[in-house]
Amino acid sequence: MTGNVTFTMIKPDAVRGGHIGAILKMINDAGFKIRAMKYTQLSPEKAGEFYEVHKERPFYGELVSFMSSGPIVAAILEKENAVVDFRTLIGATNPAEAEPGTIRSLYATNVGENAVHGSDSDENAQIEGNFHFAQTERF
Ligand code: CMP
């Protein structure tokens, strides 16, 4: 299945803004199948672990604090060419640079509070999906 799955989180800003339904509809309409999904809140420790690769970046503290500030929706999505197609659907990390009609252009606030996460490689899709979901939670 490698190459056909990606991992996403609808981030606390988009959840607070009431955009879960609209974002899930865009994901469905783009042809992604939901293989796993949960509504949960990350502790600061878990958020720090998830974003460990960014530990040395100046925005790490802000990122961890934001990602643990409220509930998120985490999901594993399946589609041919999932990682690349999902990144096209969500748009650039900075919403000011995101193509019109993308999820971030519609719902993100700024580069830190950018509505959704999408894995940047097949390898990270596997790692990130495993971080959030047991095998028994995947369908
Ligand atoms: P995400 O795709 O979840 O992966 C890493 C996150 O770091 C990214 O989305 C942004 O939300 C965040 N990020 C990247 N650059 C910055 C920045 N300059 N300031 C604050 N947050 C950032």
Side-chain angles (χ1 to χ4, degrees):
M1 222 155 68
T2 301
N4 291 340
V5 298
T6 192
F7 171 79
T8 187
M9 290 182 285
I10 301 177
K11 297 187 180 187
D13 59 326
V15 172
R16 275 194 284 271
H19 304 308
I20 294 175
I23 291 172
L24 290 179
K25 177 163 170 36
M26 287 180 75
I27 290 172
N28 270 323
D29 288 350
F32 291 88
K33 292 202 166 74
I34 294 166
R35 291 303 179 208
M37 174 169 278
K38 66 174 70 162
Y39 190 35
T40 186
Q41 182 163 358
L42 294 172
S43 65
E45 291 71 28
K46 284 301 246 184
E49 206 184 313
F50 184 87
Y51 282 112
E52 185 99 45
V53 297
H54 296 300
K55 202 168 183 133
E56 304 307 325
R57 309 288 276 280
F59 57 81
Y60 179 72
E62 202 181 312
L63 177 61
V64 168
S65 151
F66 165 62
M67 286 303 295
S68 56
S69 69
I72 60 159
V73 175
I76 295 174
L77 306 174
E78 184 182 339
K79 180 186 183 295
E80 205 174 298
N81 207 27
V83 166
V84 171
D85 285 2
F86 192 68
R87 287 175 74 83
T88 302
L89 178 68
I90 66 180
T93 304
N94 184 346
E97 293 161 13
E99 288 292 319
T102 58
I103 293 176
R104 282 171 172 156
S105 79
L106 291 166
Y107 301 114
T109 309
N110 56 52
V111 70
E113 305 201 359
N114 63 356
V116 280
H117 168 81
S119 304
D120 64 4
S121 66
D122 291 340
E123 188 192 359
N124 283 336
Q126 296 297 324
I127 293 169
E128 292 170 2
N130 291 341
F131 184 91
H132 283 268
F133 295 100
Q135 283 305 329
T136 51
E137 296 174 306
R138 300 172 194 214
F139 304 95

mmCIF file of all heavy atoms in Angstrom, residues 11 51 54 59 62-63 93 104 111-114 116-118, ligand 1:
data_model
loop_
_atom_site.group_PDB
_atom_site.id
_atom_site.type_symbol
_atom_site.label_atom_id
_atom_site.label_comp_id
_atom_site.label_asym_id
_atom_site.label_seq_id
_atom_site.Cartn_x
_atom_site.Cartn_y
_atom_site.Cartn_z
ATOM 1 N N LYS A 11 -6.236 20.717 11.989
ATOM 2 C CA LYS A 11 -5.573 21.315 13.144
ATOM 3 C C LYS A 11 -6.553 22.107 14.021
ATOM 4 O O LYS A 11 -7.672 22.431 13.585
ATOM 5 C CB LYS A 11 -4.439 22.206 12.645
ATOM 6 C CG LYS A 11 -3.347 21.434 11.885
ATOM 7 C CD LYS A 11 -2.164 22.334 11.560
ATOM 8 C CE LYS A 11 -1.086 21.573 10.805
ATOM 9 N NZ LYS A 11 0.140 22.391 10.624
ATOM 10 N N TYR A 51 6.275 16.320 16.114
ATOM 11 C CA TYR A 51 7.020 17.320 15.326
ATOM 12 C C TYR A 51 8.508 17.359 15.692
ATOM 13 O O TYR A 51 9.168 18.370 15.431
ATOM 14 C CB TYR A 51 6.385 18.695 15.501
ATOM 15 C CG TYR A 51 5.122 18.878 14.672
ATOM 16 C CD1 TYR A 51 3.876 18.995 15.269
ATOM 17 C CD2 TYR A 51 5.178 18.932 13.274
ATOM 18 C CE1 TYR A 51 2.722 19.170 14.503
ATOM 19 C CE2 TYR A 51 4.036 19.103 12.506
ATOM 20 C CZ TYR A 51 2.812 19.227 13.123
ATOM 21 O OH TYR A 51 1.685 19.398 12.352
ATOM 22 N N HIS A 54 11.307 19.006 13.775
ATOM 23 C CA HIS A 54 11.418 20.471 13.731
ATOM 24 C C HIS A 54 11.981 21.059 15.034
ATOM 25 O O HIS A 54 11.946 22.274 15.230
ATOM 26 C CB HIS A 54 10.047 21.104 13.463
ATOM 27 C CG HIS A 54 9.478 20.745 12.129
ATOM 28 N ND1 HIS A 54 10.108 21.044 10.946
ATOM 29 C CD2 HIS A 54 8.336 20.092 11.781
ATOM 30 C CE1 HIS A 54 9.384 20.600 9.932
ATOM 31 N NE2 HIS A 54 8.314 20.016 10.409
ATOM 32 N N PHE A 59 10.378 28.042 15.393
ATOM 33 C CA PHE A 59 8.930 28.018 15.640
ATOM 34 C C PHE A 59 8.457 26.769 16.373
ATOM 35 O O PHE A 59 7.262 26.584 16.579
ATOM 36 C CB PHE A 59 8.171 28.159 14.309
ATOM 37 C CG PHE A 59 8.514 27.116 13.266
ATOM 38 C CD1 PHE A 59 7.954 25.848 13.304
ATOM 39 C CD2 PHE A 59 9.399 27.421 12.235
ATOM 40 C CE1 PHE A 59 8.250 24.895 12.345
ATOM 41 C CE2 PHE A 59 9.710 26.472 11.264
ATOM 42 C CZ PHE A 59 9.137 25.204 11.327
ATOM 43 N N GLU A 62 6.173 27.256 19.552
ATOM 44 C CA GLU A 62 4.879 27.786 19.116
ATOM 45 C C GLU A 62 4.036 26.676 18.453
ATOM 46 O O GLU A 62 2.833 26.549 18.699
ATOM 47 C CB GLU A 62 5.198 28.863 18.076
ATOM 48 C CG GLU A 62 4.168 29.903 17.806
ATOM 49 C CD GLU A 62 4.677 30.856 16.709
ATOM 50 O OE1 GLU A 62 5.847 31.321 16.808
ATOM 51 O OE2 GLU A 62 3.931 31.082 15.757
ATOM 52 N N LEU A 63 4.697 25.871 17.635
ATOM 53 C CA LEU A 63 4.027 24.783 16.918
ATOM 54 C C LEU A 63 3.459 23.754 17.903
ATOM 55 O O LEU A 63 2.294 23.347 17.792
ATOM 56 C CB LEU A 63 5.039 24.124 15.961
ATOM 57 C CG LEU A 63 4.601 22.910 15.156
ATOM 58 C CD1 LEU A 63 3.432 23.251 14.233
ATOM 59 C CD2 LEU A 63 5.785 22.371 14.327
ATOM 60 N N THR A 93 2.304 25.534 2.500
ATOM 61 C CA THR A 93 2.333 25.643 3.970
ATOM 62 C C THR A 93 1.874 27.027 4.421
ATOM 63 O O THR A 93 1.106 27.158 5.367
ATOM 64 C CB THR A 93 3.777 25.390 4.480
ATOM 65 O OG1 THR A 93 4.194 24.124 3.993
ATOM 66 C CG2 THR A 93 3.846 25.410 5.996
ATOM 67 N N ARG A 104 -5.947 25.157 2.442
ATOM 68 C CA ARG A 104 -5.304 26.214 3.236
ATOM 69 C C ARG A 104 -5.696 27.612 2.741
ATOM 70 O O ARG A 104 -5.817 28.537 3.548
ATOM 71 C CB ARG A 104 -3.786 26.023 3.221
ATOM 72 C CG ARG A 104 -3.352 24.906 4.179
ATOM 73 C CD ARG A 104 -1.901 24.582 4.008
ATOM 74 N NE ARG A 104 -1.397 23.665 5.023
ATOM 75 C CZ ARG A 104 -0.334 22.900 4.827
ATOM 76 N NH1 ARG A 104 0.335 22.933 3.686
ATOM 77 N NH2 ARG A 104 0.085 22.095 5.789
ATOM 78 N N VAL A 111 1.042 30.884 8.527
ATOM 79 C CA VAL A 111 1.921 29.732 8.330
ATOM 80 C C VAL A 111 1.931 28.777 9.537
ATOM 81 O O VAL A 111 2.131 27.573 9.388
ATOM 82 C CB VAL A 111 3.358 30.192 7.954
ATOM 83 C CG1 VAL A 111 4.062 30.842 9.140
ATOM 84 C CG2 VAL A 111 4.193 29.065 7.372
ATOM 85 N N GLY A 112 1.694 29.315 10.715
ATOM 86 C CA GLY A 112 1.674 28.476 11.920
ATOM 87 C C GLY A 112 0.313 27.813 12.100
ATOM 88 O O GLY A 112 0.217 26.616 12.384
ATOM 89 N N GLU A 113 -0.734 28.579 11.923
ATOM 90 C CA GLU A 113 -2.094 28.061 12.101
ATOM 91 C C GLU A 113 -2.672 27.820 10.714
ATOM 92 O O GLU A 113 -3.419 28.647 10.177
ATOM 93 C CB GLU A 113 -2.931 29.061 12.918
ATOM 94 C CG GLU A 113 -2.269 29.380 14.244
ATOM 95 C CD GLU A 113 -3.193 29.937 15.302
ATOM 96 O OE1 GLU A 113 -4.390 30.111 15.037
ATOM 97 O OE2 GLU A 113 -2.701 30.186 16.412
ATOM 98 N N ASN A 114 -2.261 26.692 10.142
ATOM 99 C CA ASN A 114 -2.544 26.504 8.711
ATOM 100 C C ASN A 114 -3.543 25.379 8.405
ATOM 101 O O ASN A 114 -3.466 24.748 7.360
ATOM 102 C CB ASN A 114 -1.246 26.366 7.916
ATOM 103 C CG ASN A 114 -0.445 25.156 8.305
ATOM 104 O OD1 ASN A 114 -0.818 24.441 9.233
ATOM 105 N ND2 ASN A 114 0.649 24.903 7.605
ATOM 106 N N VAL A 116 -4.500 22.433 8.214
ATOM 107 C CA VAL A 116 -4.321 20.988 7.998
ATOM 108 C C VAL A 116 -2.839 20.635 7.890
ATOM 109 O O VAL A 116 -2.014 21.447 7.471
ATOM 110 C CB VAL A 116 -5.004 20.492 6.696
ATOM 111 C CG1 VAL A 116 -6.483 20.296 6.869
ATOM 112 C CG2 VAL A 116 -4.705 21.394 5.525
ATOM 113 N N HIS A 117 -2.566 19.378 8.244
ATOM 114 C CA HIS A 117 -1.241 18.790 8.013
ATOM 115 C C HIS A 117 -1.381 17.743 6.933
ATOM 116 O O HIS A 117 -2.395 17.057 6.850
ATOM 117 C CB HIS A 117 -0.737 18.125 9.305
ATOM 118 C CG HIS A 117 0.464 17.269 9.099
ATOM 119 N ND1 HIS A 117 1.737 17.788 9.014
ATOM 120 C CD2 HIS A 117 0.595 15.926 8.925
ATOM 121 C CE1 HIS A 117 2.596 16.800 8.801
ATOM 122 N NE2 HIS A 117 1.921 15.658 8.747
ATOM 123 N N GLY A 118 -0.347 17.609 6.108
ATOM 124 C CA GLY A 118 -0.286 16.506 5.150
ATOM 125 C C GLY A 118 1.134 15.969 5.113
ATOM 126 O O GLY A 118 2.091 16.755 5.103
HETATM 127 P P1 CMP B 1 2.875 21.038 8.911
HETATM 128 O O1 CMP B 1 2.667 20.625 7.509
HETATM 129 O O2 CMP B 1 1.958 20.479 9.936
HETATM 130 O O3 CMP B 1 4.374 20.682 9.337
HETATM 131 C C1 CMP B 1 5.220 21.521 10.074
HETATM 132 C C2 CMP B 1 4.530 22.742 10.548
HETATM 133 O O4 CMP B 1 5.349 23.755 11.049
HETATM 134 C C3 CMP B 1 3.852 23.378 9.360
HETATM 135 O O5 CMP B 1 2.764 22.617 8.970
HETATM 136 C C4 CMP B 1 3.527 24.759 9.902
HETATM 137 O O6 CMP B 1 2.282 24.811 10.547
HETATM 138 C C5 CMP B 1 4.636 24.959 10.907
HETATM 139 N N1 CMP B 1 5.516 26.001 10.423
HETATM 140 C C6 CMP B 1 6.294 25.969 9.340
HETATM 141 N N2 CMP B 1 6.962 27.134 9.206
HETATM 142 C C7 CMP B 1 6.572 27.918 10.242
HETATM 143 C C8 CMP B 1 6.884 29.233 10.657
HETATM 144 N N3 CMP B 1 7.752 29.988 9.979
HETATM 145 N N4 CMP B 1 6.290 29.717 11.778
HETATM 146 C C9 CMP B 1 5.409 28.947 12.474
HETATM 147 N N5 CMP B 1 5.077 27.680 12.124
HETATM 148 C C10 CMP B 1 5.648 27.177 11.023
#
